[in-house]
Amino acid sequence: MFDDAREPERGGPRSTDGIVDPTGARAWFTLDRRAPSADVADVVGWYWVSHWNLGDRAHVQPVIAHPVVNVVAEPHGFAAHGFVPTVDERRLTGHGVAVAAMLRPGAFAVLSGGDTLAPAPRASSGARPRTMPASAVLGPSADEAGAAAVEDGLASRVDDAVAHLDALLRLAVAARRAASAARRAWRDLELVTAAVDAARDVVGPGETVDVLARHLAVSVRGLQRAFERAVGVGPKWVLQRQRVHRAAELLAIDPGQDLAALAEHVGYYDQAHFTRDFVTATGTTPGAYARRCAASLALLGPGRVADGGGPVRATAATAARL
């Protein structure tokens, strides 16, 4: 349903941040995002439930990966999925559902005892995310909780599906809070969270790591080490990915805007670098992406009903609120 009735919260559960061409995606699957409970809000960014019913059709959905781990329950299993530096693609067929917790950057290292599921340093185009069974991190009750979440997700009981994961994560987070061996991982997570929030809301993703470190009153090397231990990539990479996410989100809302001005707005001072980073993350140039989003907005005009992942009514006006 893509939460049509509400304004997006930038980088939060109301946004479609990370979905390539979110308006066009409406024709293939529904997407619901929910905020986590207070007990796990420092570990979980948001929960998401995607549901599709494609019959004999198939759809490949590109995703602009966040530098995070998603813990995903699907009919064929429950696993933690890392991220890749290049475009990530999800193939959807038949009738299915995914119920997931998108963790905050650095949070998986707290739960796993130090593993980040980060990509290899020289991961090539087409590389698949690293995975780990959810039970290896969340305990032996994980598979049962995942199966229950899938059952509710298939029945479109979104809140019930999310509640299974939230209850499971509350137990896991409480155990890690009590573990003395996790203290440094919690400190790293606190610093990474402060850095990501500051880059988005205060200093801006266009600033350098030096400026970000000064704002946080830490050394550049200390900030880099915390990111490397907790996220598996450095803060410079995370800042760059934030810029691309923001640019893609703005192009989905207004595909007709000037690309040079957009590049500057999200923190690039060189349009060639903007294009290079955008292509790496999305698989297409900013201009081609804008044309794709414009075509999707034009197709989903007043009164049109998108088929595929269930009846989703989307007009140009609601698409503008993505």
Side-chain angles (χ1 to χ4, degrees):
M1 63 183 57
F2 287 82
D3 295 325
D4 283 341
R6 299 176 294 178
E7 285 294 320
E9 174 188 341
R10 182 178 167 189
R14 295 183 182 179
S15 77
T16 53
D17 190 9
I19 304 297
V20 168
D21 182 17
T23 303
R26 293 169 178 270
W28 300 99
F29 60 91
T30 64
L31 176 66
D32 290 271
R33 289 179 172 178
R34 297 288 189 270
S37 65
D39 290 341
V40 298
D42 54 348
V43 171
V44 179
W46 59 70
Y47 295 105
W48 57 268
V49 180
S50 179
H51 185 233
W52 58 95
N53 191 0
L54 305 183
D56 58 357
R57 295 175 298 168
H59 172 64
V60 176
Q61 177 62 46
V63 178
I64 309 169
H66 293 264
V68 302
V69 170
N70 283 271
V71 186
V72 187
E74 299 174 273
H76 60 267
F78 190 16
H81 298 257
F83 62 96
V84 291
T86 55
V87 63
D88 192 7
E89 293 184 335
R90 315 289 170 85
R91 180 176 173 81
L92 308 179
T93 59
H95 180 206
V97 71
V99 183
M102 194 188 90
L103 305 182
R104 291 186 180 275
F108 188 73
V110 171
L111 298 176
S112 68
D115 201 331
T116 63
L117 293 185
R122 297 186 181 277
S124 61
S125 177
R128 301 303 302 158
R130 292 176 56 208
T131 64
M132 179 184 295
S135 57
V137 182
L138 302 178
S141 63
D143 289 337
E144 182 180 353
V150 166
E151 182 179 354
D152 282 328
L154 286 170
S156 298
R157 296 188 293 265
V158 173
D159 290 331
D160 292 338
V162 164
H164 292 294
L165 297 198
D166 196 71
L168 180 68
L169 279 158
R170 285 203 306 271
L171 293 174
V173 168
R176 295 304 290 171
R177 291 195 202 283
S180 58
R183 288 174 184 167
R184 187 174 77 169
W186 281 110
R187 290 196 297 269
D188 286 343
L189 174 59
E190 183 178 359
L191 180 55
V192 167
T193 299
V196 170
D197 290 348
R200 184 186 64 233
D201 300 326
V202 184
V203 302
E207 292 293 355
T208 64
V209 175
D210 297 57
V211 170
L212 183 59
R214 285 199 299 272
H215 173 78
L216 298 169
V218 298
S219 69
V220 170
R221 188 59 188 140
L223 186 61
Q224 289 171 335
R225 285 173 175 163
F227 269 80
E228 288 162 3
R229 286 191 300 260
V231 187
V233 294
K236 181 178 180 180
W237 192 96
V238 175
L239 291 175
Q240 170 265 317
R241 184 51 56 98
Q242 278 192 336
R243 292 195 289 270
V244 173
H245 271 285
R246 185 58 177 158
E249 193 174 25
L250 291 172
L251 278 177
I253 295 169
D254 179 12
Q257 61 190 289
D258 180 77
L259 294 179
L262 174 65
E264 184 176 358
H265 175 73
V266 299
Y268 283 93
Y269 303 102
D270 181 333
Q271 194 169 357
H273 286 159
F274 169 55
T275 299
R276 180 196 63 196
D277 289 350
F278 198 94
V279 170
T280 297
T282 69
T284 189
T285 64
Y289 187 86
R291 290 190 292 274
R292 174 176 177 169
C293 292
S296 295
L297 286 168
L299 281 173
L300 292 177
R304 185 177 177 88
V305 178
D307 61 358
V312 182
R313 187 173 300 278
T315 67
T318 54
R321 293 201 296 273
L322 289 173

